[in-house]
């Protein structure tokens, strides 16, 4: 058995001991159509089905390995193990419940790293599979022999990423044309939130909005919350003025309908005109 050194080992039993050995010649990627962690995928294989993949790749960048890569896993139908003893290594990747979202950056990096390791450890050739039995890299829906009932897995967005991003980067890294990713660098001193005064200048200069009137209490920096609270306050102020105008209009309409001579119609019209001017001024300045 072979275990990927950067995976969390979650060995499935009795499958890990009982299933036949394979000589890995392919790497096939899947979407599990669920936003599961690597641990949750393991639990599903363990408790709910007798099928499984070798790897599970979640959104957070964790890789779980459930079966050694020299043991058959059952995610690829006719590619699981062939008569000559060759077989495919499979990786399920977390997705939305429609299997329609693209891989995120962490998943892409995990798939690249697994692909490079499979090339180095097992000699999986750096090419996209040309047939269902041809050694190389592929995705689940590539050949009907890899799925007993047909499938769109891993979905159009991920198929495009596989061809345009994942596989080319596997080749580049495995051949030394690109370095592996470095550790994240700490933020520079300049990578700090802008002060309220700085952002006031930006917004005033660009004419987007005046400075916030409702910044979070005791917070010297602008935050998303500051923006939203400020915009909400300004919208509510305009809404209040409009509500008052609507009430005056209703009073005028009722007075005209009843022809009540006691109502000063000209005064009501003047109030409406003033309210409308107030709303116009507020919208222009806010």
């Amino acid at each position: 058995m072979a275990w990927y050194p950067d995976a969390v080992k979650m060995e499935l039993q009795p499958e890990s001991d009982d299933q036949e050995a394979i000589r890995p010649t392919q790497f096939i990627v899947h979407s599990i159509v669920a936003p599961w962690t690597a641990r949750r995928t393991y639990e599903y294989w363990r408790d709910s089905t007798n099928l499984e993949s070798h790897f599970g790749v979640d959104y957070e960048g964790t890789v779980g390995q459930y079966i050694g890569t020299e043991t058959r896993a059952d995610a690829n139908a006719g590619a699981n193990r062939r008569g000559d003893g060759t077989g495919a290594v499979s990786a399920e990747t977390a997705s939305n419940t429609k299997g329609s979202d693209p891989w995120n950056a962490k998943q892409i990096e995990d798939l690249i790293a697994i692909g490079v390791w499979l090339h180095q450890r097992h000699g999986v050739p750096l090419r996209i599979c040309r047939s269902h039995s041809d050694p190389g890299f592929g995705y689940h829906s590539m050949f009907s022999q890899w799925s007993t009932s047909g499938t769109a897995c891993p979905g159009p967005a991920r198929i495009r990423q596989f061809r345009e991003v994942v596989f080319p980067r596997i080749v580049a890294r495995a051949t030394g044309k690109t370095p592996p990713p470095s550790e994240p660098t700490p933020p520079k001193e300049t990578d700090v939130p802008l002060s309220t005064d700085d952002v006031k200048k930006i917004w005033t200069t660009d004419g987007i909005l005046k400075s916030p009137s409702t910044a979070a209490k005791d917070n010297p920096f602008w935050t998303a919350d500051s923006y939203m609270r400020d915009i909400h306050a300004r919208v509510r102020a305009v809404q209040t003025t409009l509500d008052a105008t609507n009430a005056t209009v209703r009073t005028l309409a009722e007075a005209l309908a009843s022809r009540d001579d006691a109502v000063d119609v000209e005064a009501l019209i003047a109030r409406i005109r003033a309210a409308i001017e107030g709303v116009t001024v507020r919208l222009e300045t806010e």
Side-chain angles (χ1 to χ4, degrees):
M1 279 191 265
W3 297 88
Y4 174 53
D6 291 328
V8 179
K9 186 176 180 180
M10 307 176 197
E11 189 170 9
L12 286 168
Q13 288 292 358
E15 293 87 348
S16 184
D17 289 339
D18 291 351
Q19 292 180 176
E20 299 168 291
I22 63 169
R23 179 168 58 85
T25 60
Q26 296 172 324
F27 181 40
I28 301 175
V29 294
H30 303 245
S31 287
I32 202 165
V33 196
W36 288 346
T37 64
R39 171 62 61 177
R40 176 67 185 88
T41 300
Y42 162 74
E43 292 167 352
Y44 176 71
W45 297 142
R46 182 192 64 192
D47 302 334
S48 303
T49 179
N50 60 354
L51 303 177
E52 72 285 313
S53 62
H54 291 91
F55 295 102
V57 178
D58 64 26
Y59 283 131
E60 300 305 314
T62 300
V63 176
Q65 186 171 354
Y66 317 119
I67 298 281
T69 51
E70 293 173 318
T71 300
R72 189 198 82 226
D74 296 327
N76 309 298
N80 295 332
R81 187 182 188 278
R82 303 181 182 86
D84 61 359
T86 63
V89 173
S90 51
E92 292 284 356
T93 57
S95 72
N96 62 25
T97 55
K98 295 181 179 179
S100 60
D101 60 333
W103 289 308
N104 67 23
K106 292 179 180 178
Q107 291 176 301
I108 288 173
E109 173 54 34
D110 285 336
L111 292 174
I112 293 169
I114 294 170
V116 171
W117 179 77
L118 289 171
H119 169 70
Q120 295 172 341
R121 177 66 175 79
H122 297 301
V124 176
L126 298 173
R127 64 172 181 250
I128 293 177
C129 298
R130 298 165 295 187
S131 71
H132 68 92
S133 59
D134 184 48
F137 293 78
Y139 48 86
H140 195 195
S141 61
M142 183 177 286
F143 298 107
S144 60
Q145 292 88 346
W146 294 355
S147 174
T148 56
S149 57
T151 180
C153 172
R158 296 184 176 194
I159 290 172
R160 184 167 56 253
Q161 286 178 305
F162 172 84
R163 290 186 173 276
E164 297 177 1
V165 180
V166 175
F167 179 70
R169 291 186 186 177
I170 290 172
V171 174
R173 191 175 302 175
T175 55
K177 294 181 180 178
T178 60
S182 59
E183 291 297 319
T185 56
K188 299 177 182 178
E189 292 185 2
T190 55
D191 296 338
V192 297
L194 293 174
S195 69
T196 299
D197 288 339
D198 288 336
V199 181
K200 279 182 182 178
K201 294 176 183 178
I202 294 171
W203 278 43
T204 302
T205 301
D206 292 344
I208 302 171
L209 190 68
K210 286 186 175 180
S211 59
S213 58
T214 55
K217 185 179 180 181
D218 299 325
N219 186 352
F221 299 109
W222 278 47
T223 64
D225 177 67
S226 301
Y227 290 118
M228 294 306 299
R229 285 153 56 101
D230 185 69
I231 292 170
H232 177 74
R234 293 171 189 271
V235 170
R236 288 298 303 148
V238 172
Q239 185 64 52
T240 300
T241 303
L242 289 173
D243 290 344
T245 303
N246 289 337
T248 304
V249 171
R250 283 195 300 271
T251 302
L252 175 59
E254 292 168 359
L256 292 174
S258 64
R259 298 185 181 278
D260 187 347
D261 294 336
V263 175
D264 189 341
V265 174
E266 290 186 1
L268 282 173
I269 293 173
R271 286 170 57 190
I272 293 171
R273 182 178 293 111
I276 293 174
E277 289 175 353
V279 171
T280 302
V281 170
R282 188 181 293 275
L283 290 173
E284 288 176 349
T285 58
E286 301 291 0

